[in-house]
Amino acid sequence: MNRQRHQNAFVKNPWDLPLPGYVAKTLRSLEQAGYEAYVVGGCVRDTLMGKEPDDWDVCTSALPKEIVSCFGARKTIPTGMKHGTVTVLIDGQSVEVTTYRIDGDYLDGRHPSEVAFTRSLSEDLKRRDFTMNAVAYCPSAGLVDVCGGRADIAAGLIRCVGDPRRRFEEDALRILRALRFKAVLGFTLEEETAAAVRGCRGLLKQISKERIQAELSKLVMGDHADSVLGSFHEVLEVCAPGIIDVSKRVSVERLPKDLTVRLAVLFPVETRAALRALKYDNHTVRQADRIARLLADRPAPRTGRKEILCLLRDEGREITRLYFAAAETMTKGCGPSGAAALKELLQEDPCYSLKQLAVSGGDLIRLGMRPGPAVGQLLDEMLTLVIDGQLENSSGSLLDYVKKRGVL
Ligand code: ATP
Ligand code: MG
C-alpha cells in the first residue's frame, strides 16, 4: 500500500507512542503480509493525551478474509465480518481489527444503508465522528491526522469531522457522544458542533434505548459531568426523559463514583420507570430506585446507632453506604455526617441481619421448634431486640430469651 498519499497529514512523531506488545505484534503481522495496519480512534486519542486506553482498535487495508488468513482461523473470531471486524486473539489478549471502510448513505439517522470497504486510510478516518477520534498511528509510519485531530486534542476541542449537522443527521447518537466525551474528557464543544448538538437534538428520539443507555452511563460517570448536565439539559431530556437539571442543586461529579447513585440523583421522580425505559438491568434499576427513595424521604440522614442498624437491616450495606455518601454531598456536608457514623459503627462489626444472629433457624429447629413461619417470626423479633440494644447477640442470651418466650 502506498503511504505517500498521507504524507501531508503525517505529523512526524517527536516521540514514539507506546503500544502494548500484543498490539504491536498485530500491526506487524498485517504489515508483513503486505497490508497497512494502524491503531485508530479513541486509543490514539488517549495515548496522545498521556492516558492509558481501555482497549485498542486496529484498522487495516486488509479485507476481512485477508485478516483471517494473516492470523489463521484458530486465532480469529469473525465478530462482524459484514462490517469488516475480526477479533484477533494474540498473547492471551484480544484486538478488534477492522477493514478500512466508508459508510454509505444513512437513510434513517441510525444505520448506514451499506458499508463499503476501501483501501484508503484517509477515507476511513473521514467517516469517523470527531477529529480527536480520526487519528491513526503505527510505528513504521507515525501519526496520520488528516482532520486536524492532534491540534484539537491539544486545544481540548470536540469538533465534528465535516459539517456537524450532516454528521448528526447521519447518526444522531453522535450528538450524545459529543456530550459524553465532554463529560469524560473535560473538553469544550467547538462552536458549530455545539450549535448543531442543540439544533439537532430532536433526532435523538430515533436512537435505540440501548445505545442511549451506553453513552448516558459513561456521561454521568464522567469527571466533568456537571457542566454537561447543566448546560445541555434540554438535549439530554430528549433521549432520557425525566432527567433533571441538577446543576443548581448538586454536583454530580462530587457524588460517589457509582452509576446507581448518580442515576438516583438525576432521576429522582419515578426512577424505576425512567430507568426501565432506558433498558437498564434489574439490579441497577432497583438499587437506583431505593437510593432515590431514601434521598427523597430523608435528605438529611438520621445518624443514631439504632437508625443506622435498621437501615442496614432493611437496605443492606451497599445501598446504605451509597445513600449516606450521596446525602452528604447533597447537603454539602451540613449536619451530622452519616457516612462517618456508618464507618465507625461498621468497625464494631455489629449485628443487623438474620445471617449475623448468633442463633439460626436450624438451631431453633434442632432444639425442638416446629419448622414453619413461627421460626422466622421469632428470629425477626430477636433481631429487632438486638438492634434495639435490649438483647445481646450471643447464643446464651438469645436462647435464654427463646426459653422465656416459651416456644421450645
Ligand atoms: P472510548 O474511550 O470510550 O472507548 P472511543 O473513541 O474508543 O472511546 P468507541 O465507541 O470505542 O469510542 O469507538 C471507537 C472509534 O470508532 C471512535 O474513536 C470513532 O473513531 C469511531 N466511532 C465510534 N462510534 C462512531 C459513530 N457513531 N460515528 C462515527 N464514528 C464512530
Ligand atoms: Mg473504544
Side-chain angles (χ1 to χ4, degrees):
M1 279 295 125
N2 175 15
R3 286 215 169 91
Q4 295 303 310
R5 246 180 299 143
H6 306 305
Q7 194 107 55
N8 293 337
F10 279 176
V11 178
K12 261 293 162 217
N13 252 0
W15 64 90
D16 286 328
L17 297 189
L19 299 184
Y22 70 95
V23 175
K25 243 188 194 172
T26 308
L27 299 182
R28 253 195 323 272
S29 297
L30 287 156
E31 284 189 334
Q32 277 164 4
Y35 303 106
E36 289 182 9
Y38 291 82
V39 286
V40 68
C43 57
V44 180
R45 177 198 69 225
D46 288 347
T47 310
L48 285 169
M49 291 174 69
K51 293 201 304 187
E52 203 172 312
D54 290 335
D55 46 26
W56 293 85
D57 293 316
V58 167
C59 64
T60 177
S61 59
L63 294 170
K65 272 197 222 146
E66 295 168 337
I67 302 172
V68 174
S69 63
C70 278
F71 296 94
R74 270 185 42 236
K75 287 193 176 154
T76 50
I77 305 168
T79 316
M81 294 293 268
K82 239 178 73 191
H83 291 96
T85 303
V86 174
T87 302
V88 173
L89 307 171
I90 192 158
D91 293 350
Q93 308 274 353
S94 65
V95 193
E96 293 222 321
V97 180
T98 306
T99 306
Y100 297 157
R101 51 177 245 218
I102 320 171
D103 296 335
D105 290 339
Y106 286 77
L107 301 177
D108 58 358
R110 276 178 295 179
H111 308 295
S113 55
E114 57 181 20
V115 169
F117 298 133
T118 165
R119 298 276 185 182
S120 158
L121 172 61
S122 306
E123 283 183 335
D124 179 279
L125 292 176
K126 284 179 189 151
R127 71 158 174 101
R128 291 174 184 269
D129 46 7
F130 306 110
T131 57
M132 61 179 186
N133 291 341
V135 280
Y137 170 83
C138 76
S140 58
L143 190 73
V144 181
D145 178 19
V146 285
C147 305
R150 190 180 175 193
D152 282 341
I153 293 169
L157 273 183
I158 299 170
R159 183 198 307 271
C160 281
V161 174
D163 174 44
R165 281 188 162 267
R166 233 198 81 217
R167 301 311 309 279
F168 292 158
E169 280 160 13
E170 283 175 359
D171 180 2
L173 187 73
R174 292 171 187 154
I175 297 169
L176 190 55
R177 283 175 62 83
L179 298 183
R180 182 263 275 196
F181 284 119
K182 177 171 168 51
V184 172
L185 302 173
F187 281 16
T188 308
L189 294 188
E190 171 278 327
E191 213 171 300
E192 274 184 45
T193 301
V197 160
R198 293 186 200 281
C200 298
R201 64 183 186 275
L203 299 173
L204 277 167
K205 285 210 177 79
Q206 316 164 350
I207 300 300
S208 80
K209 299 297 180 202
E210 289 82 356
R211 292 179 84 202
I212 299 279
Q213 186 217 99
E215 293 296 333
L216 183 71
S217 296
K218 291 184 187 170
L219 189 161
V220 306
M221 293 299 279
D223 285 340
H224 310 271
D226 284 353
S227 74
V228 176
L229 292 164
S231 325
F232 291 93
H233 177 249
E234 87 268 25
V235 178
L236 296 170
E237 219 176 9
V238 175
C239 56
I243 194 165
I244 59 159
D245 180 355
V246 287
S247 57
K248 287 161 212 100
R249 288 191 234 174
V250 68
S251 162
V252 170
E253 288 163 30
R254 289 182 50 225
L255 286 169
K257 231 174 166 30
D258 175 279
L259 184 62
T260 57
V261 172
R262 295 189 174 195
L263 291 174
V265 171
L266 286 167
F267 297 90
V269 181
E270 308 216 8
T271 313
R272 198 171 272 266
L275 298 183
R276 280 242 170 87
L278 289 170
K279 311 271 186 199
Y280 276 101
D281 62 88
N282 288 341
H283 169 77
T284 306
V285 173
R286 203 192 82 80
Q287 188 153 308
D289 181 59
R290 287 307 312 151
I291 297 168
R293 272 165 205 258
L294 288 168
L295 288 170
D297 292 347
R298 285 184 238 165
R302 297 184 199 126
T303 55
R305 182 188 169 87
K306 189 176 145 192
E307 276 118 4
I308 297 180
L309 288 173
C310 287
L311 206 56
L312 284 165
R313 176 194 62 197
D314 298 342
E315 308 290 351
R317 230 177 229 241
E318 181 70 352
I319 290 178
T320 304
R321 186 182 64 79
L322 293 170
Y323 155 64
F324 276 132
E328 193 147 313
T329 308
M330 295 179 78
T331 54
K332 302 196 170 67
C334 300
S337 166
L342 174 70
K343 200 170 160 205
E344 209 180 297
L345 185 57
L346 286 176
Q347 268 161 12
E348 288 174 24
D349 195 18
C351 169
Y352 57 82
S353 68
L354 290 180
K355 261 197 312 223
Q356 296 164 295
L357 215 53
V359 165
S360 70
D363 294 336
L364 295 179
I365 292 165
R366 269 191 296 280
L367 288 168
M369 204 170 162
R370 283 245 311 274
V375 176
Q377 279 161 15
L378 180 59
L379 290 170
D380 281 337
E381 194 178 306
M382 291 195 292
L383 179 61
T384 304
L385 291 169
V386 167
I387 287 176
D388 260 353
Q390 297 181 39
L391 257 186
E392 195 191 316
N393 184 30
S394 66
S395 53
S397 120
L398 296 181
L399 292 177
D400 274 354
Y401 177 78
V402 172
K403 278 181 207 138
K404 255 191 263 157
R405 284 273 274 100
V407 281
L408 288 183

